[in-house]
């Protein structure tokens, strides 16, 4: 009975985090972009500092008509938002926020996370194909090209820190982490974070949803709550990427004075702010620039990090 209660509490906590943390990041993005780009609109809803803007957005999505194009593949069109969203919930099950504080501690947790995160991009590809819209289809093809390009540096960067820790368990990686890993694994951290942004199709890597040519790319034909699920998947992806970067490269719950889970959340929200900051600071990359960054920039850097990690491990042994 005690085991069942423990499982129930862990699942409830994961679902609560899955529903709450992305909303906080979304509200933070509204306010940060309002200040950085002098956007007045998000500062009015609800009165003080526009506190009700996110609620207003939710009501707007709920009121919109759910439209499915006549020529669309209705089943694929309907399940695509869930395919884009659910993998991030599964990933959150294995991300630790403190010693022993994780839904499940898998021995191959890192490979599990990387494999499941790749599934989320399939939802965008399915949406583009099922919409019976050439602009949506082009957006889906661009999303597939980004996934194939940036998956390799993402995996290579994560492999470097797994080699350093000598384990694939996310809990074990944090337990092995030491402060001097910050400069040692800095190259891998940057590669992992940038490749993760590209997989999430966040600016400046948002070519699949280029408004000037593809409107909203794979999501052009989506309305109402289905569109809101795609937006929720994007913000959950930001939380997951920030949490993984924290666990792999920033020491997870390690920190002075404050409890471990508090340090984890501080680092996660700090990285989420960096994601927002990058969005308002850099213009969208062209498709050729995006591919060059992956193959000419990030892949060699990830291989360099692997080589450096191997050299240091040999010298330490």
């Amino acid at each position: 009975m005690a085991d069942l209660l423990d499982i129930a509490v862990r699942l409830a906590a994961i679902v609560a985090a899955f529903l709450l943390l992305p909303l906080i990041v979304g509200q933070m993005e509204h306010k940060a972009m309002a200040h950085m780009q002098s956007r007045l609109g998000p500062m009015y809803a609800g009165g003080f500092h526009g506190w009700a803007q996110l609620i207003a957005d939710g009501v707007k999505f709920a009121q919109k008509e759910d439209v499915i194009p006549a020529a669309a593949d209705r089943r694929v069109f309907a399940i695509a938002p869930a395919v884009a969203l659910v993998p991030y919930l599964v990933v959150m099950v294995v991300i630790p926020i403190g010693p022993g504080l994780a839904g499940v501690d898998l021995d191959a947790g890192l490979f599990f996370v990387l494999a499941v995160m790749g599934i989320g991009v399939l939802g965008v590809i399915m949406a583009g194909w099922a919409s019976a819209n050439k602009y949506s289809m082009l957006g889906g093809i661009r999303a597939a090209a980004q996934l194939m390009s940036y998956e390799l540096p993402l995996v290579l960067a994560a492999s470097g820190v797994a080699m350093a820790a000598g384990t694939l368990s996310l809990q074990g990686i944090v337990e092995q982490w030491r402060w001097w890993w910050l400069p040692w694994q800095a190259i891998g951290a940057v590669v992992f974070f940038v490749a993760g942004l590209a997989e999430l199709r966040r600016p400046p890597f948002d070519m699949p949803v280029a408004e000037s040519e593809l409107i909203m790319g794979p999501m052009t034909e989506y309305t109402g709550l289905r569109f809101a699920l795609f937006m929720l998947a994007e913000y959950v992806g930001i939380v997951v990427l920030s949490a993984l970067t924290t666990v792999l490269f920033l020491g997870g719950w390690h920190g002075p004075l404050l409890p471990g889970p508090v340090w984890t959340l501080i680092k996660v929200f700090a990285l989420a702010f960096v994601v927002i900051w990058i969005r308002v600071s850099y213009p969208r990359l062209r498709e050729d620039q995006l591919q060059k960054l992956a193959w000419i920039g990030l892949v060699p850097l990830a291989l360099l990090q692997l080589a450096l990690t191997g050299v240091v491990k040999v010298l330490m042994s």
Side-chain angles (χ1 to χ4, degrees):
M1 188 66 179
D3 291 340
L4 290 176
L5 181 60
D6 180 65
I7 293 172
V9 170
R10 289 172 184 262
L11 288 177
I14 291 167
V15 172
F18 177 77
L19 296 175
L20 180 61
L21 295 182
L23 298 182
I24 297 175
V25 172
Q27 184 75 348
M28 183 168 66
E29 181 169 64
H30 277 307
K31 303 309 161 192
M33 291 181 66
H35 283 290
M36 291 179 178
Q37 296 182 332
S38 298
R39 297 187 178 194
L40 299 180
M43 307 302 287
Y44 281 92
F48 175 73
H49 213 66
W51 65 269
Q53 180 62 48
L54 206 62
I55 298 174
D57 288 340
V59 172
K60 175 188 70 175
F61 283 128
Q63 289 179 333
K64 285 189 174 182
E65 183 181 2
D66 183 18
V67 177
I68 299 179
D73 187 321
R74 300 181 69 88
R75 290 184 179 179
V76 178
F77 186 90
I79 66 173
V83 175
L85 179 62
V86 171
Y88 293 117
L89 173 61
V90 177
V91 167
M92 293 181 72
V93 172
V94 299
I95 297 178
I97 64 169
L101 295 179
V104 180
D105 181 18
L106 297 178
D107 291 337
L110 180 57
F111 279 175
F112 174 82
V113 163
L114 295 176
V116 174
M117 282 183 65
I119 297 175
V121 183
L122 295 179
V124 178
I125 300 172
M126 291 168 60
W129 179 83
S131 295
N133 180 312
K134 61 183 178 182
Y135 299 106
S136 297
M137 186 64 183
L138 286 172
I141 293 173
R142 286 184 177 180
Q146 272 187 226
L147 169 64
M148 289 186 290
S149 298
Y150 284 88
E151 189 75 12
L152 180 58
L154 185 81
V155 172
L156 289 175
S159 300
V161 75
M163 181 192 300
T167 178
L168 294 173
S169 166
L170 297 180
Q171 188 99 14
I173 290 173
V174 181
E175 291 170 353
Q176 294 295 322
W177 187 88
R178 299 294 182 269
W179 68 267
W180 51 272
W181 285 27
L182 288 174
W184 181 27
Q185 297 294 322
I187 296 175
V190 172
V191 171
F192 184 88
F193 193 70
V194 172
L197 285 180
E199 289 212 354
L200 292 177
R201 300 168 305 283
R202 288 284 301 183
F205 306 101
D206 56 341
M207 280 298 292
V209 293
E211 297 93 338
S212 59
E213 51 190 294
L214 298 183
I215 311 164
M216 273 300 287
M219 297 171 285
T220 297
E221 300 293 349
Y222 282 85
T223 60
L225 291 178
R226 296 187 199 274
F227 184 84
L229 289 178
F230 278 115
M231 294 294 99
L232 179 61
E234 179 178 333
Y235 289 113
V236 178
I238 294 173
V239 172
V240 168
L241 173 63
S242 301
L244 286 175
T245 306
T246 296
V247 167
L248 295 177
F249 299 98
L250 300 181
W253 59 79
H254 290 289
L257 301 177
L258 300 176
V262 175
W263 271 113
T264 301
L265 291 176
I266 289 174
K267 295 173 184 178
V268 167
F269 282 112
L271 288 173
F273 179 77
V274 172
V275 173
I276 298 167
W277 197 351
I278 290 173
R279 174 178 180 175
V280 299
S281 301
Y282 293 96
R284 177 181 297 130
L285 295 177
R286 298 195 313 264
E287 188 67 27
D288 62 316
Q289 294 172 328
L290 186 143
Q291 296 295 334
K292 285 181 179 178
L293 177 62
W295 295 105
I296 299 177
L298 298 187
V299 170
L301 286 175
L303 293 173
L304 174 63
Q305 179 67 77
L306 275 174
L308 176 62
T309 301
V311 170
V312 174
K313 289 287 286 184
V314 170
L315 293 176
M316 290 176 59
S317 63

